[in-house]
């Protein structure tokens, strides 16, 4: 069964950095787009970033551009999110998700999700 | 404020039919991008429920159906059951934002 396990969350001060990891198993990791989606406490879902199969294409929500970097290591079946210059509004559960296409290039959805890791930005 | 608008809550009695709307614009649903739906049970990760507007992955009961028309999409649930109680989110792509977007979510309560 497809498994995605996030780690690396925790408490960090505003302006600090954190690196999230996602370990994938039971599927050919290098064959899929991967994504990060977050959910602030008591709020809805927000897409954060996507990366294509070989890491050559990356997309970010405007609010994290220039601060967050998505990357992957296909040899280790792992996805990462480097988060710098963290702000209080980045506080959320961060989910790793596998991406699929339903049709055209941008018809993209998330078919498997991890359990999430909580990032709290507070002094 | 999401570019995809969902009602904050809907409710229905067991056995009834409910629909959850997802209203977008000409830069997302109206532009022809597919709509996908997710179910999030309390305290758990989201689970994808409908993809490509109306397709159900294996394991999702046929009581759930999706549709899309113009700048809106809908998730219909028939034969409502207690364990359908969850938050439901729609998702699509927005060309103005150049990114993927979710609706604000709808809490389904089974009375």
């Amino acid at each position: 069964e497809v498994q995605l396990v996030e780690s690396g969350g925790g408490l960090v001060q505003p302006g600090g950095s954190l690196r999230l990891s996602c370990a994938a198993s039971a599927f050919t990791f290098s064959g899929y787009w991967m994504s990060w989606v977050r959910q602030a406490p008591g709020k809805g879902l927000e897409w954060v970033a996507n990366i294509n199969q070989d890491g050559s294409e990356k997309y970010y929500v405007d609010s994290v551009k220039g601060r967050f970097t998505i990357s992957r290591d296909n040899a280790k079946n792992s996805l990462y999110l480097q988060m710098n210059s963290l702000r209080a509004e980045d506080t959320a559960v961060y989910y790793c998700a596998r991406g699929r296409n339903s049709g055209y290039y941008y018809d993209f959805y998330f078919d498997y999700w991890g359990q999430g890791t909580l990032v709290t930005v507070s002094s | 404020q999401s570019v995809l608008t969902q009602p904050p809550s809907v409710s229905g009695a067991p056995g009834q039919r409910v629909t959850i709307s997802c209203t977008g614009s000409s830069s997302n649903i109206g532009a022809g991008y597919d709509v996908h739906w997710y179910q999030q049970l309390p305290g758990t990760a989201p689970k994808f429920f409908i993809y490509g507007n109306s397709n159900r992955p294996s394991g999702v009961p046929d009581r759930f159906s999706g549709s899309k028309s113009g700048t809106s999409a809908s998730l219909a649930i028939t034969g409502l059951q207690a364990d359908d109680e969850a938050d439901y989110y729609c998702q699509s792509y927005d060309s103005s934002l150049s990114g993927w977007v979710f609706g604000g979510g709808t809490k389904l309560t089974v009375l």
Side-chain angles (χ1 to χ4, degrees):
Chain A
E1 183 183 350
V2 170
Q3 274 209 315
L4 298 169
V5 179
E6 303 91 338
S7 60
L11 175 63
V12 61
Q13 292 189 337
S17 297
L18 214 52
R19 189 195 196 206
L20 305 184
S21 299
C22 170
S25 60
F27 68 100
T28 305
F29 181 73
S30 60
Y32 291 86
W33 282 74
M34 296 297 297
S35 304
W36 289 98
V37 178
R38 68 185 177 182
Q39 186 170 33
K43 302 295 184 182
L45 301 170
E46 180 183 37
W47 165 74
V48 174
N50 285 351
I51 186 169
N52 73 336
Q53 290 88 338
D54 65 4
S56 61
E57 293 181 56
K58 302 176 184 181
Y59 298 93
Y60 300 92
V61 67
D62 283 348
S63 59
V64 309
K65 282 179 184 173
R67 300 188 299 123
F68 290 12
T69 302
I70 189 173
S71 62
R72 65 191 297 161
D73 185 335
N74 287 340
K76 294 183 177 179
N77 289 341
S78 292
L79 176 71
Y80 306 102
L81 186 67
Q82 177 66 42
M83 304 186 295
N84 298 330
S85 302
L86 282 161
R87 306 166 181 167
E89 54 265 36
D90 296 318
T91 294
V93 173
Y94 284 74
Y95 295 101
C96 163
R98 191 177 80 169
R100 298 293 301 275
N101 278 102
S102 60
Y104 294 108
Y105 185 79
Y106 293 109
D107 289 325
F108 189 91
Y109 64 96
F110 314 100
D111 68 343
Y112 284 95
W113 299 63
Q115 84 289 348
T117 186
L118 176 62
V119 172
T120 303
V121 184
S122 174
S123 54
Chain B
Q1 192 80 354
S2 176
V3 297
L4 301 180
T5 302
Q6 297 181 236
S9 63
V10 297
S11 62
Q16 283 190 335
R17 178 182 188 271
V18 297
T19 62
I20 298 173
S21 61
C22 175
T23 303
S25 68
S26 58
S27 62
N28 42 68
I29 299 175
Y33 296 110
D34 282 353
V35 178
H36 320 286
W37 291 88
Y38 302 85
Q39 179 196 60
Q40 186 175 32
L41 296 169
T44 70
K47 170 186 171 185
F48 99 107
F49 236 56
I50 297 285
Y51 67 97
N53 306 315
S54 59
N55 300 292
R56 275 188 316 275
S58 59
V60 173
D62 59 6
R63 300 186 295 106
F64 293 83
S65 62
S67 63
K68 184 182 105 168
S69 179
T71 59
S72 296
S74 292
L75 175 68
I77 310 169
T78 59
L80 211 53
Q81 299 179 2
D83 57 7
D84 295 334
E85 222 171 65
D87 293 326
Y88 292 85
Y89 294 89
C90 60
Q91 175 248 313
S92 186
Y93 179 79
D94 190 281
S95 58
S96 294
L97 297 174
S98 298
W100 290 267
V101 291
F102 288 91
T106 298
K107 182 176 181 60
L108 170 63
T109 300
V110 180
L111 302 170

